Amino acid sequence: MEKLVIRGDHNLHLSGEVRISGAKNAVLPAIAAGLLTSEEVRLSNIPRVKDVETILTLIAELGGTYTIDGDTVAIRVSKIRSDEASYELVRAMRASILVLGPLVARFGKAVVALPGGCAIGSRPIDLHIAGLQKLGATISLEHGYIQAQADRLRGAVIEFEKKTVTGTENLLMAAALAKGETILKNCAREPEVADLAVLLNKMGAKIEWMGEDTARIRGVRELGGAAHVIIPDRIETGTFLVAGALASGDFLIRNVCPEHTAAVIEKLRASGAIVETDGENALRVAGSREVKAQDITTSPYPGFPTDMQAQFMVLLTQAAGTSIITETIFDRRFSHVNELVRLGASIEVQGDKAIVKGKTLLSGAEVIATDLRASAALVLAGLVATGETTINEIEHLDRGYERIEDKLRGLGASIERVKA
Ligand code: EPU
């Protein structure tokens, strides 16, 4: 077990430049898409994070092979030896559910552990299941496992009751190999979903976007190999933008897609930070001495992402006045609040709202993170808290951030990983 020790400073100064890794939430479905073909799928700009290791372990358990060279992974699934995603792996990472669609579409059978509760909310998968049933899969739930079967999936018209990112991804992958045409309505349009569709089309799928959130997929018999560069991680980008907004000085954030972070940039600018594009793939950020209070409501893309809610809350503890954050995506995503309060923040949760009163001067303490983005928020808070902040249980952080401490140290922060 490891922990992070941060020596914070109210007058945090950051400068230099940082490079953003590939998007965790884009690479996970892209790796699962490797199950759809017997040919090689080669993905570059992959982040070296724990969740990627977990899904690659799952691919190997199913019988696929992979090789990693730098930031490129080559996956090949000629045949499978098992069609089961174990509870152990699904519990470690809910996104393991992404193998359900590809397995049933290509091999006609999948057994995937039902993900249980989660630190950020109830997170059901009913929409994945209902969609696959509409494509003709027979699905039963036995002994905590989803058992899905189908001779060959058949195209259908499916309207998601609610926008779901991995649900849309599972159905895009399944429909790609179904017989006939599928129309998916009310799809999630997160950049990671769009990136998956680009990869699938390179593999020979026929996916077209029609209007805002409808996809038309003409099923094909077989998909082939492809090479694809994963998009930059917009949540890591947003996390570093908030670090910049908290600090004096300015720094450059490279390998980003500014458009994907537009909602966060808008709120950062409204709070007083200076965020400028520097060419097509870089952003420059500088903090303001006087952070302005903001109200934030999370919503599906292109709205303000739930995955940035915790980090932005840290910035709002430094704003004069009251800010109200409304979380509309997950029902329990405020686990960072109590820890931020331990650092001296004034935040009260009322149902789906967190009321943040500022400006509060934070002081370092020992804290525990219970999910990925909550951990990132605690790192940011530690940077501006006086004295030492120790962040325990950083395995959550390692699931989605590639050596965040090295990147922050490169900007001048005092942060170290030590054995717990
Ligand atoms: N929902 C249902 N039924 C379903 C599926 C979803 O009711 O069958 C609900 C959820 O309970 C939630 C909402 O729909 O209220 C949206 O959930 P969604 O399915 O979009 O979330 P997800 O696909 O499980 C992905 C990301 C999350 C991110 C959310 C929302 C991946 C691997 N994970 O999760 O990322 O928060 O979309 O944008 O793409 C993270 O990276 O920290 C993270 C949690």
Side-chain angles (χ1 to χ4, degrees), residues 5-48:
V5 178
I6 303 171
R7 291 221 132 260
D9 186 349
H10 284 159
N11 299 311
L12 174 70
H13 183 90
L14 298 176
S15 61
E17 58 179 72
V18 60
R19 187 180 184 281
I20 296 302
S21 303
K24 167 184 84 82
N25 289 348
V27 77
L28 298 176
I31 290 172
L35 289 165
L36 289 164
T37 173
S38 59
E39 294 180 12
E40 183 178 280
V41 173
R42 178 178 286 268
L43 306 168
S44 317
N45 196 33
I46 64 159
R48 301 302 298 272

Side-chain angles (χ1 to χ4, degrees), residues 24-26 28-29 51 93-98 118 120-129 160 162-169 188 190 192 234-235 299-301 305-307 328-331 333 371-373 399-400:
K24 167 184 84 82
N25 289 348
L28 298 176
D51 274 7
M93 186 188 67
R94 298 177 61 87
S96 305
I97 191 72
L98 284 164
C118 170
I120 63 175
S122 43
R123 303 186 77 179
I125 50 151
D126 55 313
L127 304 174
H128 302 232
I129 293 176
F160 291 103
K162 194 172 180 179
K163 284 193 157 58
T164 159
V165 173
T166 48
T168 304
E169 291 164 349
E190 268 65 6
E192 296 77 18
R234 65 194 166 97
I235 306 301
S299 61
Y301 189 83
T306 174
D307 291 345
T328 72
I329 307 291
F330 292 114
D331 51 12
R333 208 173 199 181
D371 82 82
L372 169 57
R373 307 305 169 185
R399 290 185 51 185

Side-chain angles (χ1 to χ4, degrees), residues 250-267:
D250 67 290
F251 61 87
L252 196 64
I253 310 180
R254 287 196 190 281
N255 188 36
V256 302
C257 179
E259 192 192 320
H260 292 168
T261 318
V264 173
I265 292 176
E266 192 186 312
K267 284 292 178 185

